[in-house]
Structures are given as C-alpha cells and as structure tokens.
C-alpha cells in the first residue's frame, strides 16, 4: 500500500469550491481592469491584487501544502471559462502567485500560519507583479509621483485582498468547513 495522498478528496473539493468562487471574482476583476486601466490606470494594482485570494483563503482554511497552487489553477480555469481569450493571463498569473505563496509557506515548512506570514507573502507578490507590470504598462510615462503611487498600490492591493482572504478563510474555519483540522 502506498503513502496516503497529501491532498485528500476532501481537500481537493474544498480547493475546487474556493477556486470556483474566487475564479468568478477574478473574471469580474478582469472585466473592469480594462476600463480601470484606461480611466484611472494608477489604481490598477488594487484591482489586480484580487488574484491573491484563492491561495490566501485555501492556505488559511486548510493549512496544507499545495492548496494555494491547486486553488489558483481552479480559479484560473473558471475565470478562463468566462473570458477564454485570457486563458494564458489567468493561468500564468495563477502559476506565478500560487508558486510564490507555496514557496513562502514552504520556507516556513508549512508550519507558520500567523497573519504576518500571509502579509509578507502579499508584499512579495505585489513587488514581483509591480516589476513585471512596470515594463508591460510603460509606467515610466507617469510623473514621478504617479510612478511611486502606481508601484505602492501594487503592494497595497495584494495586502488588502490578503486581509479579505484571511477573514474569509477564518470564517470558513469557524463555520466548520474542513471536516477535520488539517
């Protein structure tokens, strides 16, 4: 008999449920990101920060390896079903953010689940995305103050959405969503 799977059916189903809910939110964020980028591009980081939600909720609730990455991938597939043209963006973002969240949790050997660890993760995610977006969005076209605010909001967005995700995960835990403590 082999080793039992670290990702039981119960964990996978929970990841799937979180992924569906957050994938719908990501699709909605994707729908407003174009108009936001055109009208008020400086606040785009707040909208993009929603992409941390799948992993934060899954890790806060389940506190197990791989749940962030699995949940991100489900969310990406759901969002892609709504906007098939953006499948590459959604899956790429899921892999990037999910891998960063898993990597940071792995550094703590999946034993540290205090809020500060999630917020450190959010700041790192925000910094990585800010660097990538800096070039893609030609942020240098803004005045210096605009560049500073733009980059700062890429850190604030994931941090704010992490707070929302921690609250949702804790509420699900209090409601008894995981049948057993994991």
């Amino acid at each position: 008999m082999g080793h039992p799977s670290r990702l039981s059916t119960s964990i996978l189903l929970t990841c799937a449920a979180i992924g569906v809910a957050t994938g719908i939110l990501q699709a909605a964020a994707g729908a407003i990101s174009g108009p936001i980028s055109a009208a008020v591009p400086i606040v785009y980081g707040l909208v993009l920060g929603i992409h941390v939600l799948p992993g934060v909720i899954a890790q806060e609730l389940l506190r197990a390896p791989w749940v962030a990455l699995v949940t991100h991938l489900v969310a990406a597939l759901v969002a892609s079903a709504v906007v098939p043209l953006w499948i590459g963006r959604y899956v790429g973002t899921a892999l990037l953010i999910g891998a960063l969240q898993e990597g940071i949790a792995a550094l703590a050997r999946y034993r540290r689940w205090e809020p500060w660890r999630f917020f450190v993760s959010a700041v790192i995610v925000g910094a990585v995305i800010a660097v990538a977006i800096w070039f893609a969005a030609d942020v240098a076209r803004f005045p210096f103050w605009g560049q500073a605010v733009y980059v700062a909001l890429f850190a604030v967005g994931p941090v704010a959405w992490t707070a929302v995700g921690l609250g949702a995960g804790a509420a699900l835990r209090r409601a008894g969503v995981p049948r057993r403590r994991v």
Side-chain angles (χ1 to χ4, degrees):
M1 200 175 216
H3 295 291
S5 171
R6 290 181 155 228
L7 294 175
S8 67
T9 302
S10 174
I11 288 175
L12 288 172
L13 288 172
T14 304
C15 290
I18 295 166
V20 168
T22 55
I24 291 167
L25 292 174
Q26 288 178 354
I32 66 167
S33 67
I36 292 288
S37 291
V40 197
I42 205 162
V43 299
Y44 181 55
L46 294 175
V47 175
L48 195 62
I50 199 168
H51 288 281
V52 301
L53 268 182
V56 172
I57 295 171
Q59 286 184 330
E60 170 60 19
L61 177 63
L62 300 169
R63 298 179 180 189
W66 301 109
V67 297
L69 191 57
V70 169
T71 306
H72 273 288
L73 288 172
V74 171
L77 293 175
V78 169
S80 297
V82 177
V83 188
L85 183 64
W86 288 1
I87 190 169
R89 290 181 188 179
Y90 285 126
V91 171
T93 301
L95 290 172
L96 173 67
I97 295 174
L100 286 169
Q101 289 173 329
E102 288 293 341
I104 291 163
L107 287 174
R109 303 176 122 201
Y110 293 98
R111 293 184 182 146
R112 305 299 305 232
W113 302 107
E114 297 87 3
W116 66 265
R117 205 244 346 127
F118 287 93
F119 289 116
V120 167
S121 175
V123 170
I124 292 169
V125 165
V128 168
I129 292 173
V131 169
I133 294 292
W134 179 275
F135 298 104
D138 188 27
V139 177
R141 73 179 190 265
F142 297 131
F144 177 75
W145 69 266
Q147 294 173 20
V149 170
Y150 192 86
V151 170
L153 290 179
F154 270 95
V156 171
V159 167
W161 285 107
T162 292
V164 170
L166 287 174
L172 290 168
R173 181 178 282 283
R174 283 190 308 274
V177 169
R179 291 185 171 242
R180 61 178 174 77
R181 293 281 179 177
V182 289

